[in-house]
Amino acid sequence: MSERDDTTALLVRARDAPGILLQLCQVLAAHQANIAHVDIHARDSGQASLYFELEGVRDLDAIVRDLDALEVVLRVEQLRPFSRIYGKRVIVIGGGAQVGQVMLGAVSEADRHNIRGECISVDTIPLVGEETLAAAVRAVARLPRARALVLAGALMGGEITQAVHEIRAQGILVISLNMAGTVPDAADLVVTDPVQAGVMAVMAIADTARFDITRQAGRRY
């Protein structure tokens, strides 16, 4: 699940109206640029900003020129892709106290690798309730650049366990604290100490770490 080195990012400021995205995509398709990610944000005063990450760009100047030529386009900027700024993401979900300790380990370890040239960011949301947690777990697979999830709580099972199976099938690494419930049995790895869980999550996705998570699959620490 590594990011491609040839990713190009463009921010297009355009009029906010029906059919705008279609017009922009037609230009990109004409240049055989593959859209790896798209996001629409900053909608105000009848305008919108559309962020594209493109792969296989052959002639960037020509793409920018043709986008600029569209009547609906106000401005086109080339940016650094998010993969080279915020990079791979570790997501931490669960109870507040446990989440805080996992974050302590994950942020400290990410800092060590980022100094060595990595781009790893850590995001969190403290949540309670089976339905809420299950929805949040499933949503991790839709988050851009998410690579690993740490579930930090005292009791998780039921629908949350099913959600864990689903996102693992989509390539998301799941680390669970050693807690009550069936989630630990569904996770890739179970770690008792929350700080260590955060450290191991970062090590598992870091290119600069000598840690093969496949050799730890199913183990409990």
Side-chain angles (χ1 to χ4, degrees), residues 23-36:
Q23 294 183 52
L24 300 179
C25 290
Q26 285 176 332
V27 171
L28 298 175
H31 288 276
Q32 298 184 326
N34 185 45
I35 301 173

Side-chain angles (χ1 to χ4, degrees), residues 88-126:
K88 294 171 284 189
R89 300 167 71 183
V90 174
I91 312 297
V92 185
I93 297 175
Q98 293 94 330
V99 161
Q101 291 301 299
V102 173
M103 289 294 290
L104 178 63
V107 170
S108 298
E109 185 69 11
D111 180 67
R112 187 171 74 89
H113 291 285
N114 288 349
I115 289 174
R116 297 159 64 187
E118 287 272 4
C119 284
I120 298 174
S121 56
V122 186
D123 304 295
T124 183
I125 180 168

Side-chain angles (χ1 to χ4, degrees), residues 4-201:
R4 288 181 50 157
D5 293 332
D6 66 345
T7 302
T8 299
L10 292 177
L11 183 67
V12 181
R13 188 68 174 169
R15 295 186 178 88
D16 191 4
I20 300 303
L21 183 58
L22 174 61
Q23 294 183 52
L24 300 179
C25 290
Q26 285 176 332
V27 171
L28 298 175
H31 288 276
Q32 298 184 326
N34 185 45
I35 301 173
H37 176 72
V38 61
D39 185 31
I40 302 174
H41 62 97
R43 298 178 63 197
D44 59 81
S45 304
Q47 299 179 10
S49 293
L50 297 92
Y51 172 78
F52 293 92
E53 289 192 358
L54 309 172
E55 297 171 349
V57 173
R58 300 177 180 177
D59 190 339
L60 180 59
D61 291 337
I63 291 178
V64 172
R65 182 184 64 245
D66 289 350
L67 288 172
D68 265 327
L70 294 175
E71 184 180 350
V72 297
V73 171
L74 305 173
R75 184 175 69 254
V76 180
E77 299 177 54
Q78 183 181 0
L79 305 174
R80 291 181 65 193
F82 279 131
S83 59
R84 299 177 194 167
I85 301 174
Y86 289 103
K88 294 171 284 189
R89 300 167 71 183
V90 174
I91 312 297
V92 185
I93 297 175
Q98 293 94 330
V99 161
Q101 291 301 299
V102 173
M103 289 294 290
L104 178 63
V107 170
S108 298
E109 185 69 11
D111 180 67
R112 187 171 74 89
H113 291 285
N114 288 349
I115 289 174
R116 297 159 64 187
E118 287 272 4
C119 284
I120 298 174
S121 56
V122 186
D123 304 295
T124 183
I125 180 168
L127 294 171
V128 295
E130 180 180 341
E131 183 178 345
T132 301
L133 282 164
V137 169
R138 289 189 171 98
V140 171
R142 303 196 303 270
L143 291 175
R145 307 176 318 283
R147 296 293 180 267
L149 167 66
V150 183
L151 288 171
L155 170 62
M156 291 187 190
E159 189 65 21
I160 306 169
T161 302
Q162 179 58 37
V164 168
H165 285 301
E166 292 172 14
I167 67 167
R168 285 186 62 200
Q170 296 177 70
I172 302 295
L173 167 71
V174 179
I175 295 177
S176 169
L177 294 190
N178 194 7
M179 63 178 112
T182 55
V183 159
D185 294 328
D188 291 283
L189 182 67
V190 179
V191 183
T192 300
D193 180 73
V195 175
Q196 184 182 6
V199 170
M200 294 181 79

